[in-house]
Amino acid sequence: MDRLLAIKIGSNVLTRSDGRLDITRLSALVDQISDLRREGYKVIVITSGAVASGRSEIKVDHELDDVSQRQLFSSVGQARLMHNYYQFFREQGFNCGQILTTKDNFTDETSYLNQKNCMKVMLDAGIIPIVNENDTVAIHELMFTDNDELASLIAVMMGVDTLIILSNVDGVFTGDPADPASRLIREIDPADDSILEYIGEKKSTNGRGGMKTKFSVARKIASQGIEVVIANGKRDDILTDILHGNGDVPYSRFKTKR
Ligand code: GLU
């Protein structure tokens, strides 16, 4: 088997309720991805959490504007994040490498082809690409909407079979996920507009995303033939449960036209 997966890990998955980096969760996700690698899957990881993990690490004794804070926290947080991915993958016998990118790398043809080739070279050599936005230079109009948009661009660029978006909710619900009357929608037809009425505006507490952008990128790329799954990265064994077809595990899957 040589199925290519893109797995997007959101800031909320990697952050504890007090804002600190959840190293235990990160390690558990690395263990699952390593299991999938051993089963023959190829994997690209798109990870958020740089800003959140830098913010919880450093204290600044002077006023900083939003842009400067983001630059400072991400510079420290990205190093910290990568250090953890690198160590945990190494313990599992795998190598990973870092790719930091910006929106203009998807519009400039030379940059696009260079980054595509880099990821291909890594995958062919058995290295797991760990991708994030280069938050130190991506400011305002140069920014992706959020890492869900980045993950979808990577998924299309690399022609993955499946994109799994991990956040801290089980998937797309028929209302507020916190409301017990809401029901998880397990299978979504990307052409079905009626689901739009259910999608809340609520934004992520630690990242920039929310269900609205997740839903819109998911349906867009599902209509291009890539299977998309939205699931809860805080659930133990979520990745292996999804890919091993454990029927009880909750998630939303977007049907493809294939
Ligand atoms: N690139 C940002 C980070 O690593 C996250 C962007 C997002 O939340 O989607 O902190």
Side-chain angles (χ1 to χ4, degrees), residues 143-158:
M143 273 155 104
F144 297 105
T145 313
D146 51 43
N147 269 10
D148 300 317
E149 184 192 20
L150 168 60
S152 71
L153 291 169
I154 300 271
V156 172
M157 180 174 81
M158 299 311 292

Side-chain angles (χ1 to χ4, degrees), residues 9 11 45-51 70 74 77-78 81-82 98-102 115 129-135 144 146-147 150 154 208:
I9 305 176
S11 296
V45 176
I46 299 96
T47 189
S48 303
V51 175
R70 188 162 167 271
S74 66
Q78 179 65 27
L81 206 55
M82 249 353 257
Q98 170 179 267
I99 296 188
L100 293 179
T101 190
T102 48
Q115 89 182 341
I130 312 275
V131 189
N132 195 2
E133 181 169 16
N134 187 347
D135 296 307
F144 297 105
D146 51 43
N147 269 10
L150 168 60
I154 300 271
R208 292 206 300 277

Side-chain angles (χ1 to χ4, degrees), residues 64-78:
L64 283 178
D65 60 52
D66 286 353
V67 170
S68 306
Q69 277 190 35
R70 188 162 167 271
Q71 291 178 310
L72 183 68
F73 295 150
S74 66
S75 66
V76 175
Q78 179 65 27

Side-chain angles (χ1 to χ4, degrees), residues 52-92:
S53 75
R55 183 179 285 122
S56 63
E57 189 72 0
I58 40 176
K59 300 279 159 284
V60 195
D61 61 4
H62 51 277
E63 279 284 301
L64 283 178
D65 60 52
D66 286 353
V67 170
S68 306
Q69 277 190 35
R70 188 162 167 271
Q71 291 178 310
L72 183 68
F73 295 150
S74 66
S75 66
V76 175
Q78 179 65 27
R80 188 166 174 232
L81 206 55
M82 249 353 257
H83 167 80
N84 283 293
Y85 277 111
Y86 193 86
Q87 289 294 346
F88 290 134
F89 271 122
R90 197 154 182 264
E91 282 165 23
Q92 289 281 350

